[in-house]
């Protein structure tokens, strides 16, 4: 059985996988529904899964904001999806209101969307095109990782 | 005529062929996502080698989404699965098909869900804690212009993948006007050998200028008292506050294998520093009340101050847990940032008082190279025999984005000097190297020894025993 598992591991990456967020729906921090398919009309959408207790997530936010400001002539939408459990959910709004990032904040308190997108740790960053297809994904954040995202943005716009 | 040999050959080729076909079809017609995490642990003390693996696969085609998870526990880790004969070492633990039509979503198979803030129902997976109490059944969600409805039915699993009871429930929310939303939940368990059958809840959300309020009240059928949770948020230009209260009285709603349907907010701060998780608060839904207050203040754009205080008591007013936490985070320059924090905690479960100061520094040598130093100290007093000891933890880390992180983690305690403590060891040291390649593929190797401790998320904790050996973890994701 373990051999089959290894086979599965080797086979699938060779082919043409991708992820889509088009049919997702979540609530924003005010409890209003956010339907992705109605909100993808941007030059690029960056989605970051985060949590209030996650230090690398908070380090990534200024880098994402700087990236958005670097391309003022482009419409870049940044969606921050909180994976905080109900234990820290009340702190999400507090964080959003007390920081001036130009992000759309959504909540996924039971990690349902995170699970469907196979996000098992935060931060997790996705770059999504107008069709809702992920053209770049990155798990974790270290200082300097935004350079890879910047390259992916330029590749997206060069297509 | 088909011979036994042919059948064997068909079996051998069936899975790879299906995977190949699914991948080709998936790549051309829909979206295929794949993630595999495999961990090999060689545990020196017990002469034990464990392979654990989780393979998640989803395939999306327009409004359809199908997926599954295959798990390997070879052999089952006895610290996680004490009754190892109940574990299937190779098992499909999760599979589903989902269809979305406009604002209606229907899901058949395994699912996770939450009603309100989890006081009635919360099923979730947390691999760190080895919690996976998904429900196998049917879930329907409808989102209207001013209301949301959810109906569920099925059987919830325990960690041995047993599903003894049928459960069904409803949850609804209506945005009555402006910023006022009201909602309600109901959950019923069938075939129960206990008197835990029904639970009802009502909730209210209201926003007014810079204030937000959330309140939820629960009435279990098996007990006369109400349980409740409330939260108020307030926002000002440089400051934000949150205040939460709880009263959980005989609220634990369990199936016949003692797995809880509900997981209410524990109202204690979540910490990412190791020593602050050494004496954590474990949530008891049957008997606790208390509050949590947190304030964030920005005296300057480069500085953030966080203050937190939480208290938990039993209904007989016995102190269970309390914490005072303060944290200053400052950016000295573009290259250097630092954090100074301290916490005082009292924990009734371990009968300890703990004073924990810590400091954390990060320095960016280049845009891609970073050094990180973290030092934590903890002074512990045993409240029963008044003995005292100290623990020190030091982390040195270098990272080069996006390829490499290398770290050394050392810990020392003088607890062994206490007369009544039998501790073989008082220093622990391990090295950890993580390599990222092909963007999302990650190989992590840990070698050395690690102190025992708790892994805690959301007030639910799992004991992680002392470890010495090698741990290799490979994550592949496409």
């Amino acid at each position: 059985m373990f051999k089959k598992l290894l086979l599965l591991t080797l086979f699938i990456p060779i082919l043409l996988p991708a992820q889509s967020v088009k049919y997702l729906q979540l609530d924003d921090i005010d409890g209003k529904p956010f339907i992705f398919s109605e909100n993808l009309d941007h030059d690029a959408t960056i989605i970051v899964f985060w949590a209030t207790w996650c230090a690398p997530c908070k380090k990534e936010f200024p880098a994402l904001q700087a990236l958005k400001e670097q391309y003022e002539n482009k419409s870049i939408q940044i969606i921050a999806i909180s994976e905080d459990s109900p234990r820290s959910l009340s702190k999400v709004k507090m964080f959003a209101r007390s920081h001036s990032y130009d992000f759309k904040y959504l909540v996924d308190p039971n990690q349902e969307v995170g699970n469907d997108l196979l996000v098992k740790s935060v931060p997790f960053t996705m770059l999504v095109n107008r069709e809702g297809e992920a053209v770049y994904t990155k798990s974790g954040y270290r200082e300097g990782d935004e350079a890879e995202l910047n390259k992916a943005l330029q590749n997206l716009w060069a297509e | 005529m088909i011979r036994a040999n042919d059948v064997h050959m068909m079996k051998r080729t069936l899975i790879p062929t299906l995977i190949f076909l699914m991948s080709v079809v998936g790549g051309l017609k829909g979206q295929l996502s794949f993630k595999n995490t495999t961990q090999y642990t060689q545990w020196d003390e017990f002469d034990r080698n464990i392979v654990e693996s989780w393979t998640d696969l989803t395939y999306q085609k327009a409004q359809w989404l199908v997926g599954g998870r295959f798990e390997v526990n070879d052999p089952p880790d006895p610290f996680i699965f004490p009754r190892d004969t109940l574990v299937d070492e190779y098992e499909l633990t999760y599979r589903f098909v989902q269809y979305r039509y406009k604002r209606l979503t229907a899901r058949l198979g395994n699912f996770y869900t939450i009603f309100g803030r989890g006081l009635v129902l919360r099923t979730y997976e947390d691999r760190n804690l080895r919690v996976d109490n998904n429900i196998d059944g049917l879930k329907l969600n409808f989102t209207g212009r001013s209301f949301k409805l959810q109906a569920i039915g099925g059987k919830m699993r325990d960690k041995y993948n047993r599903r003894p009871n049928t459960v069904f429930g409803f949850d609804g929310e209506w945005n009555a006007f402006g910023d006022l939303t009201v909602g309600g939940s109901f959950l019923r368990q069938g075939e129960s050998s206990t008197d835990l059958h029904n639970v009802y809840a009502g909730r209210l959300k209201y926003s007014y200028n810079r204030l937000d309020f959330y309140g939820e009240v629960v009435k279990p059928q098996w007990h006369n008292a109400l349980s409740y949770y409330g939260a108020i948020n307030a926002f000002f230009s440089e400051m934000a506050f949150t205040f939460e209260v709880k009263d959980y009285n005989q609220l634990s709603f369990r199936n016949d294998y003692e797995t809880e349907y509900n997981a209410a907010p524990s109202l204690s701060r979540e910490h990412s520093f190791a020593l602050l998780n050494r004496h954590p608060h474990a949530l008891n839904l049957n008997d606790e009340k208390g509050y949590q207050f947190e304030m964030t203040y920005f005296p300057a754009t480069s500085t953030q101050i966080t203050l937190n205080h939480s208290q938990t008591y039993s209904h007989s007013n016995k102190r269970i847990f309390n914490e005072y936490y303060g944290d200053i985070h400052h950016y000295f320059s573009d290259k250097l940032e630092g954090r100074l924090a301290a916490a005082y905690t009292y924990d009734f479960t371990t009968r300890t008082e703990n004073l924990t100061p810590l400091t954390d520094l990060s320095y960016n040598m280049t845009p891609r190279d970073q050094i990180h130093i973290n030092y934590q100290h903890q002074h512990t007093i045993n409240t029963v025999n008044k003995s005292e000891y100290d623990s020190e933890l030091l982390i040195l880390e270098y990272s080069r984005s996006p390829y490499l992180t290398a770290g050394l983690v050392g810990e020392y305690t003088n607890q062994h000097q206490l007369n009544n403590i039998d501790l073989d060891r008082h220093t622990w040291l391990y090295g950890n190297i993580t390599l990222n390649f092909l963007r999302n593929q990650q190989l992590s190797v840990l070698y050395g020894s690690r102190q025992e401790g708790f892994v805690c998320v959301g007030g639910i904790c799992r004991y992680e025993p002392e470890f010495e050996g090698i741990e290799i973890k490979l994550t592949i994701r496409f």
Side-chain angles (χ1 to χ4, degrees), chain A residues 1 5 7-9 13 15-19 23 25 27 59 86-88 90-91 93-94 97-98 110 112 116-118 120 124 137-139 142-145, chain B residues 16 19 23 27 32-33 53 55 62 100 107 112-113 122-123 125 139 143 148 212 233 235 244 268-270 296 362 367 401-402 404-405 436 440 459 477-478:
Chain A
M1 186 59 82
L5 194 72
L7 209 59
L8 186 116
T9 309
L15 299 159
L16 293 166
Q19 280 188 311
Y23 296 100
Q25 180 185 316
D27 283 354
K59 287 188 179 182
R87 180 181 181 184
S88 299
S90 64
K91 291 169 192 155
K93 205 165 185 175
M94 185 165 112
R97 294 278 183 92
S98 58
N110 215 34
E112 287 171 69
D116 286 351
L117 291 173
L118 311 185
K120 299 290 177 191
F124 186 84
T137 58
K138 177 84 176 71
S139 183
R142 279 165 300 190
E143 201 74 34
D145 279 1
Chain B
I19 292 166
S23 304
L32 194 70
S33 307
S53 176
T55 303
R100 179 184 292 270
R107 183 164 175 139
Y112 303 103
T113 192
R122 182 177 175 232
T123 62
E125 190 212 8
K139 180 170 81 162
T143 306
K148 284 182 273 189
D212 270 318
N233 282 299
F235 316 100
E244 297 167 280
S268 56
R269 198 170 203 277
E270 286 189 78
T296 310
S362 297
S401 168
L404 169 80
T405 302
N436 290 292
N440 268 323
R477 181 191 176 97
F478 290 91

XYZ file of all heavy atoms in Angstrom, chain A residues 1 5 7-9 13 15-19 23 25 27 59 86-88 90-91 93-94 97-98 110 112 116-118 120 124 137-139 142-145, chain B residues 16 19 23 27 32-33 53 55 62 100 107 112-113 122-123 125 139 143 148 212 233 235 244 268-270 296 362 367 401-402 404-405 436 440 459 477-478:
611
model
N 0.814 -1.207 0.000
C 0.000 0.000 0.000
C 0.854 1.267 0.000
O 0.555 2.244 -0.652
C -0.921 -0.034 1.227
C -1.929 1.102 1.290
S -3.046 1.182 -0.124
C -4.250 -0.028 0.351
N 1.040 4.613 -2.512
C 1.018 5.997 -2.052
C 2.170 6.783 -2.679
O 2.001 7.914 -3.139
C 1.136 6.015 -0.524
C 0.805 7.330 0.137
C -0.684 7.591 0.078
C 1.257 7.303 1.588
N 3.597 6.052 -5.448
C 3.265 6.158 -6.869
C 2.353 7.352 -7.099
O 2.548 8.151 -8.024
C 2.558 4.868 -7.290
C 2.715 4.437 -8.743
C 4.175 4.227 -9.080
C 1.937 3.159 -8.977
N 1.368 7.462 -6.220
C 0.421 8.581 -6.289
C 1.171 9.907 -6.157
O 0.943 10.857 -6.892
C -0.580 8.430 -5.145
C -1.744 9.386 -5.100
C -3.029 8.586 -5.289
C -1.846 10.080 -3.774
N 2.140 9.921 -5.234
C 2.934 11.120 -5.005
C 3.724 11.511 -6.249
O 3.874 12.673 -6.570
C 3.912 10.868 -3.836
O 3.166 10.366 -2.750
C 4.623 12.120 -3.409
N 2.006 15.140 -9.699
C 2.670 16.407 -9.965
C 3.098 16.591 -11.412
O 3.230 17.720 -11.880
C 3.893 16.350 -9.048
C 3.538 15.382 -7.996
C 2.649 14.394 -8.641
N 1.498 15.924 -14.043
C 0.403 16.341 -14.912
C 0.029 17.809 -14.696
O 0.891 18.585 -14.297
C -0.756 15.375 -14.716
C -0.271 13.960 -15.131
C -1.130 12.914 -14.511
C -0.200 13.832 -16.619
N -1.158 18.192 -14.962
C -1.472 19.614 -15.028
C -2.446 20.077 -13.948
O -3.556 20.500 -14.236
C -2.082 19.925 -16.407
C -1.154 19.772 -17.595
C -1.960 19.762 -18.870
C -0.142 20.892 -17.621
N -2.045 19.992 -12.734
C -2.989 20.386 -11.710
C -3.091 21.900 -11.548
O -2.233 22.639 -11.993
C -2.418 19.760 -10.451
C -0.970 19.644 -10.710
C -0.760 19.599 -12.173
N -4.125 22.338 -10.890
C -4.333 23.759 -10.609
C -5.390 23.842 -9.524
O -5.996 22.847 -9.156
C -4.802 24.488 -11.862
N -5.603 25.049 -9.035
C -6.661 25.239 -8.037
C -7.526 26.398 -8.473
O -7.060 27.311 -9.146
C -6.054 25.540 -6.667
C -5.571 24.313 -5.951
C -5.144 24.608 -4.534
O -4.391 25.527 -4.306
N -5.636 23.839 -3.593
N -15.633 29.289 -7.139
C -16.931 28.906 -6.566
C -16.946 28.933 -5.044
O -17.792 28.333 -4.411
C -17.342 27.527 -7.087
C -17.562 27.543 -8.579
C -16.586 27.080 -9.448
C -18.722 28.091 -9.121
C -16.763 27.143 -10.815
C -18.901 28.165 -10.491
C -17.924 27.685 -11.327
O -18.104 27.761 -12.677
N -17.206 30.766 -1.280
C -17.976 31.822 -0.630
C -17.621 31.833 0.855
O -17.543 30.787 1.492
C -19.459 31.543 -0.813
C -20.346 32.587 -0.171
C -21.807 32.206 -0.269
O -22.260 31.761 -1.315
N -22.527 32.374 0.815
N -17.766 34.561 4.653
C -18.269 35.799 5.252
C -17.118 36.762 5.478
O -16.002 36.332 5.783
C -18.919 35.506 6.607
C -20.302 34.901 6.447
O -20.785 34.830 5.291
O -20.887 34.486 7.455
N 4.171 39.396 9.573
C 5.342 39.932 8.881
C 5.091 40.029 7.376
O 5.678 40.861 6.697
C 6.554 39.052 9.136
C 7.095 39.187 10.539
C 8.399 38.453 10.694
C 8.911 38.641 12.113
N 10.180 38.003 12.348
N -12.857 29.834 16.704
C -13.714 30.722 17.500
C -12.981 31.307 18.709
O -13.335 32.366 19.201
C -14.850 29.802 17.948
C -14.942 28.784 16.875
C -13.521 28.554 16.428
N -11.918 30.639 19.167
C -11.170 31.134 20.322
C -10.600 32.534 20.075
O -10.559 33.361 20.965
C -10.033 30.165 20.634
C -9.185 30.593 21.814
C -8.077 29.597 22.044
N -7.254 29.938 23.178
C -6.174 29.281 23.543
N -5.802 28.231 22.860
N -5.453 29.645 24.587
N -10.132 32.783 18.854
C -9.496 34.072 18.557
C -10.286 34.905 17.556
O -9.804 35.930 17.088
C -8.083 33.838 18.019
O -7.301 33.187 18.976
N -12.780 36.885 17.756
C -13.113 38.275 18.094
C -11.902 39.194 17.918
O -12.048 40.406 17.851
C -13.635 38.353 19.524
O -12.619 37.969 20.414
N -10.699 38.599 17.832
C -9.497 39.428 17.658
C -9.221 39.757 16.192
O -8.379 40.595 15.896
C -8.295 38.722 18.278
C -8.377 38.667 19.799
C -7.346 37.767 20.404
C -7.673 37.536 21.874
N -7.136 36.294 22.374
N -11.336 41.057 13.928
C -11.875 42.371 13.611
C -11.018 43.459 14.269
O -10.782 44.520 13.696
C -13.321 42.462 14.108
C -14.137 43.466 13.348
C -15.604 43.244 13.617
C -16.430 44.165 12.772
N -17.856 43.921 12.908
N -10.586 43.160 15.473
C -9.726 44.096 16.197
C -8.450 44.357 15.397
O -8.022 45.492 15.242
C -9.393 43.493 17.565
C -8.630 44.376 18.477
S -8.688 43.709 20.146
C -7.014 43.241 20.388
N -9.293 46.374 12.077
C -9.606 47.792 12.291
C -8.404 48.589 12.798
O -8.340 49.794 12.608
C -10.738 47.920 13.304
C -12.075 47.368 12.818
C -12.787 48.384 11.935
N -14.093 47.897 11.532
C -15.204 48.145 12.203
N -15.169 48.864 13.301
N -16.351 47.678 11.764
N -7.486 47.900 13.465
C -6.380 48.653 14.054
C -5.152 48.699 13.128
O -4.136 49.272 13.497
C -5.999 48.059 15.419
O -5.644 46.707 15.275
N -13.902 27.637 10.715
C -13.825 26.187 10.843
C -12.913 25.577 9.802
O -12.905 24.371 9.597
C -15.219 25.576 10.718
C -15.355 24.389 11.621
O -14.783 24.377 12.698
N -16.066 23.389 11.169
N -13.138 25.413 6.712
C -13.811 24.622 5.676
C -13.227 24.922 4.302
O -12.920 24.013 3.531
C -15.315 24.901 5.688
C -16.015 24.284 6.882
C -17.457 24.750 7.016
O -18.262 24.366 6.166
O -17.760 25.508 7.956
N -10.778 22.627 1.824
C -11.055 22.323 0.412
C -9.898 22.749 -0.491
O -9.702 22.184 -1.566
C -12.357 23.006 -0.036
C -13.584 22.285 0.533
O -13.398 21.196 1.112
O -14.705 22.816 0.408
N -9.134 23.776 -0.047
C -7.975 24.212 -0.834
C -6.676 23.572 -0.325
O -5.593 23.971 -0.722
C -7.861 25.740 -0.797
C -8.961 26.495 -1.538
C -8.844 27.992 -1.295
C -8.917 26.215 -3.028
N -6.809 22.610 0.569
C -5.677 21.859 1.129
C -4.685 22.775 1.851
O -3.473 22.560 1.816
C -4.950 21.050 0.035
C -5.824 20.200 -0.890
C -4.955 19.372 -1.821
C -6.728 19.291 -0.096
N -3.194 23.634 5.113
C -3.097 23.009 6.438
C -2.220 23.800 7.385
O -2.041 23.414 8.535
C -2.543 21.586 6.304
C -3.409 20.670 5.473
C -4.705 20.332 6.177
C -5.597 19.476 5.310
N -6.946 19.359 5.847
N -0.445 31.030 4.107
C -0.478 30.380 2.798
C -0.950 31.432 1.803
O -2.002 32.037 1.994
C -1.422 29.178 2.810
C -1.372 28.398 1.535
C -0.391 27.440 1.337
C -2.282 28.643 0.521
C -0.326 26.725 0.151
C -2.227 27.937 -0.666
C -1.247 26.968 -0.856
N 1.271 29.608 -5.696
C 0.934 29.361 -4.284
C 2.233 29.233 -3.495
O 3.249 28.792 -4.034
C 0.114 28.064 -4.084
O 0.859 26.967 -4.600
C -1.245 28.139 -4.746
N 2.180 29.613 -2.231
C 3.389 29.547 -1.393
C 2.969 29.296 0.042
O 2.106 29.978 0.570
C 4.149 30.867 -1.491
C 5.375 30.957 -0.614
C 6.568 30.314 -1.300
C 7.845 30.458 -0.499
N 7.888 29.650 0.707
N 3.587 28.305 0.633
C 3.302 27.979 2.018
C 4.391 28.599 2.899
O 5.569 28.471 2.606
C 3.307 26.454 2.147
O 2.972 26.093 3.438
N 8.974 33.913 4.811
C 10.220 34.426 5.369
C 10.533 35.729 4.665
O 10.126 35.939 3.515
C 11.363 33.437 5.114
C 11.384 32.308 6.110
C 12.255 31.211 5.641
N 11.737 30.721 4.362
C 12.170 29.629 3.776
N 13.123 28.944 4.306
N 11.641 29.234 2.636
N 11.262 36.588 5.347
C 11.640 37.874 4.769
C 12.233 37.634 3.373
O 13.137 36.809 3.224
C 12.681 38.529 5.689
C 12.810 40.012 5.545
C 11.641 40.762 6.150
O 11.103 40.308 7.167
O 11.269 41.801 5.569
N 11.724 38.291 2.373
C 12.265 38.138 1.025
C 11.397 37.276 0.123
O 11.542 37.300 -1.106
N 10.466 36.523 0.714
C 9.603 35.640 -0.093
C 8.736 36.437 -1.066
O 8.289 35.908 -2.085
C 8.703 34.791 0.810
C 9.436 33.569 1.372
O 10.632 33.422 1.056
O 8.817 32.792 2.118
N -2.760 3.096 -10.267
C -2.003 4.035 -11.093
C -2.754 4.478 -12.350
O -2.698 5.636 -12.734
C -0.743 3.250 -11.467
C -0.607 2.210 -10.422
C -2.000 1.884 -9.979
N -5.379 6.971 -11.379
C -4.733 8.246 -11.046
C -4.333 8.973 -12.328
O -4.552 10.174 -12.478
C -3.491 8.013 -10.156
C -3.919 7.507 -8.778
C -2.671 9.283 -10.000
C -2.774 6.940 -7.969
N -5.856 12.410 -13.527
C -4.967 13.558 -13.642
C -5.068 14.212 -15.009
O -5.100 15.419 -15.129
C -3.527 13.140 -13.372
O -3.442 12.533 -12.129
N -6.438 17.775 -15.415
C -5.606 18.845 -15.928
C -6.235 19.561 -17.090
O -6.127 20.768 -17.222
N -7.143 20.106 -10.452
C -6.768 19.022 -9.555
C -5.784 19.562 -8.535
O -4.805 20.212 -8.904
C -6.114 17.918 -10.381
C -5.931 16.582 -9.720
C -7.272 15.901 -9.507
C -5.045 15.704 -10.596
N -6.039 19.321 -7.268
C -5.111 19.753 -6.222
C -4.639 18.529 -5.464
O -5.421 17.627 -5.187
C -5.799 20.680 -5.219
O -6.416 21.718 -5.889
N 1.508 9.464 7.123
C 1.343 10.143 5.840
C -0.111 10.560 5.648
O -1.030 9.838 6.042
C 1.775 9.195 4.717
O 1.533 9.788 3.471
N -2.451 12.090 2.488
C -2.536 12.474 1.088
C -3.924 13.047 0.828
O -4.929 12.348 1.003
C -2.298 11.262 0.165
O -1.023 10.716 0.479
C -2.331 11.666 -1.300
N -16.066 22.931 -12.746
C -17.151 23.914 -12.624
C -17.719 23.890 -11.210
O -16.977 24.035 -10.260
C -18.214 23.669 -13.684
N -22.448 23.017 -6.200
C -22.960 24.348 -5.873
C -23.869 24.819 -7.017
O -23.465 24.808 -8.185
C -21.807 25.334 -5.712
C -22.260 26.755 -5.383
C -21.067 27.666 -5.336
N -20.218 27.361 -4.206
C -20.354 27.918 -2.997
N -21.298 28.809 -2.783
N -19.542 27.596 -2.029
N -23.429 18.995 -0.060
C -22.216 18.170 0.081
C -22.586 16.814 0.654
O -23.245 16.734 1.689
C -21.236 18.879 0.995
C -19.911 18.158 1.154
C -18.943 19.141 1.737
N -17.664 18.587 2.051
C -16.519 19.226 1.818
N -16.528 20.397 1.240
N -15.379 18.701 2.171
N -16.753 19.245 7.504
C -16.564 19.960 8.766
C -17.552 21.108 8.781
O -17.892 21.658 7.730
C -15.145 20.522 8.866
C -14.087 19.474 8.739
C -13.362 19.318 7.551
C -13.808 18.618 9.789
C -12.395 18.339 7.435
C -12.838 17.631 9.676
C -12.148 17.499 8.491
O -11.193 16.516 8.371
N -17.991 21.485 9.961
C -18.920 22.610 10.011
C -18.924 23.251 11.393
O -18.366 22.716 12.362
C -20.344 22.173 9.606
O -21.128 23.347 9.400
C -21.002 21.315 10.679
N -19.189 22.127 16.468
C -17.989 22.485 15.717
C -17.211 21.213 15.432
O -16.718 20.558 16.354
C -17.104 23.466 16.480
C -15.894 23.859 15.654
C -14.999 24.879 16.292
N -13.842 25.064 15.442
C -12.585 24.995 15.835
N -12.312 24.794 17.101
N -11.597 25.151 14.997
N -17.141 20.834 14.157
C -16.324 19.684 13.781
C -15.174 20.218 12.944
O -15.356 21.102 12.121
C -17.123 18.637 12.982
O -17.575 19.227 11.769
C -18.316 18.129 13.772
N -10.625 19.617 11.745
C -9.410 18.809 11.757
C -8.250 19.667 12.222
O -8.095 20.791 11.763
C -9.090 18.269 10.355
C -7.989 17.230 10.392
C -7.096 17.187 9.164
O -7.210 18.061 8.297
O -6.256 16.271 9.093
N -24.683 17.744 3.979
C -24.737 19.132 4.458
C -25.323 20.006 3.358
O -24.896 19.941 2.204
C -23.329 19.617 4.821
C -23.301 21.057 5.318
C -21.958 21.444 5.904
C -20.946 21.802 4.847
N -19.804 22.571 5.374
N -27.445 30.553 1.031
C -27.195 31.941 1.415
C -28.130 32.841 0.629
O -28.015 32.958 -0.600
C -25.728 32.333 1.107
O -24.877 31.375 1.744
C -25.412 33.718 1.637
N -29.066 33.196 6.044
C -28.261 32.010 5.737
C -28.858 30.815 6.459
O -29.288 30.952 7.610
C -26.823 32.198 6.226
C -25.989 33.109 5.363
C -24.575 33.219 5.858
C -24.458 34.293 6.891
N -23.102 34.626 7.297
N -18.833 46.593 18.464
C -19.416 45.360 17.920
C -19.802 44.469 19.078
O -19.034 44.339 20.032
C -18.365 44.596 17.120
C -18.358 44.997 15.679
O -19.429 45.159 15.098
O -17.255 45.153 15.153
N -16.289 44.292 20.966
C -15.094 44.893 20.381
C -15.288 46.389 20.302
O -16.383 46.858 19.982
C -14.881 44.379 18.954
C -14.295 42.996 18.935
O -13.210 42.767 19.429
N -15.033 42.057 18.368
N -13.205 50.007 18.779
C -12.087 50.450 17.936
C -11.951 51.962 17.998
O -12.955 52.679 17.852
C -12.320 50.049 16.475
C -12.829 48.667 16.335
C -14.181 48.429 16.121
C -11.970 47.596 16.430
C -14.667 47.144 16.009
C -12.449 46.308 16.316
C -13.795 46.077 16.107
N -14.387 39.512 26.335
C -15.236 38.332 26.135
C -15.607 37.728 27.487
O -14.778 37.748 28.401
C -14.492 37.277 25.319
C -14.132 37.706 23.913
C -13.137 36.747 23.276
O -11.932 36.858 23.568
O -13.567 35.885 22.511
N -8.772 32.098 26.501
C -7.403 32.267 26.978
C -6.566 32.517 25.726
O -6.906 32.053 24.644
C -6.918 31.039 27.733
O -7.030 29.897 26.932
N -5.471 33.263 25.894
C -4.721 33.709 24.726
C -3.988 32.553 24.042
O -3.445 31.680 24.726
C -3.699 34.772 25.146
C -3.185 35.578 24.001
C -2.380 36.768 24.460
N -2.361 37.786 23.430
C -1.513 37.766 22.408
N -0.617 36.836 22.310
N -1.571 38.722 21.481
N -3.990 32.554 22.717
C -3.219 31.560 21.966
C -1.791 32.066 21.833
O -1.571 33.193 21.408
C -3.821 31.355 20.581
C -5.104 30.562 20.615
C -5.588 30.160 19.222
O -5.040 29.217 18.658
O -6.531 30.788 18.737
N -4.971 46.452 22.190
C -3.837 46.714 21.308
C -3.715 48.223 21.156
O -4.715 48.906 20.882
C -4.065 46.079 19.918
O -4.440 44.720 20.097
C -2.808 46.125 19.079
N 14.770 39.904 15.213
C 14.995 39.475 13.828
C 15.818 40.546 13.128
O 15.512 41.740 13.245
C 13.670 39.319 13.079
O 12.897 38.324 13.669
N 18.011 41.535 1.704
C 16.568 41.320 1.497
C 16.146 39.849 1.569
O 14.980 39.540 1.737
C 16.329 41.895 0.100
C 17.378 42.928 -0.051
C 18.583 42.382 0.657
N 15.669 33.177 2.030
C 14.458 33.035 1.222
C 14.835 32.762 -0.222
O 15.762 33.398 -0.750
C 13.650 34.328 1.309
O 12.640 34.339 0.355
N 14.159 31.899 -0.927
C 13.058 31.061 -0.442
C 13.495 29.626 -0.151
O 12.663 28.742 -0.087
C 12.098 31.091 -1.629
C 13.011 31.118 -2.824
C 14.262 31.849 -2.399
N 15.982 28.055 2.285
C 16.557 27.365 3.437
C 16.210 28.036 4.760
O 16.207 29.263 4.872
C 18.087 27.355 3.267
C 18.924 26.928 4.457
C 18.944 25.409 4.548
C 20.345 27.451 4.341
N 15.933 27.197 5.763
C 15.888 27.663 7.150
C 16.666 26.643 7.974
O 16.438 25.435 7.857
C 14.445 27.723 7.688
O 13.684 28.580 6.845
C 14.414 28.290 9.101
N 13.295 24.272 0.949
C 12.171 24.447 0.028
C 12.693 24.299 -1.387
O 13.712 24.902 -1.729
C 11.563 25.843 0.185
C 10.856 25.974 1.504
O 9.841 25.364 1.735
N 11.424 26.749 2.398
N 6.866 24.846 -3.745
C 6.031 24.429 -2.630
C 6.418 23.092 -2.025
O 5.699 22.576 -1.199
C 4.570 24.356 -3.070
C 3.874 25.661 -2.806
O 4.142 26.318 -1.810
N 3.011 26.043 -3.708
N -7.767 25.810 23.243
C -8.133 25.274 24.550
C -8.128 23.762 24.594
O -8.460 23.155 25.606
N 3.288 19.358 -2.764
C 2.018 20.025 -3.013
C 1.988 20.560 -4.438
O 2.919 21.233 -4.871
C 1.885 21.185 -2.031
C 0.623 21.924 -2.176
C 0.612 23.211 -1.405
N -0.646 23.847 -1.732
C -1.721 23.760 -0.991
N -1.695 23.174 0.154
N -2.862 24.292 -1.388
N 0.919 20.233 -5.146
C 0.747 20.770 -6.502
C -0.685 21.188 -6.722
O -1.572 20.686 -6.067
C 1.128 19.732 -7.543
C 2.600 19.454 -7.577
C 3.139 18.449 -6.813
C 3.441 20.219 -8.349
C 4.491 18.183 -6.822
C 4.802 19.974 -8.364
C 5.332 18.940 -7.597
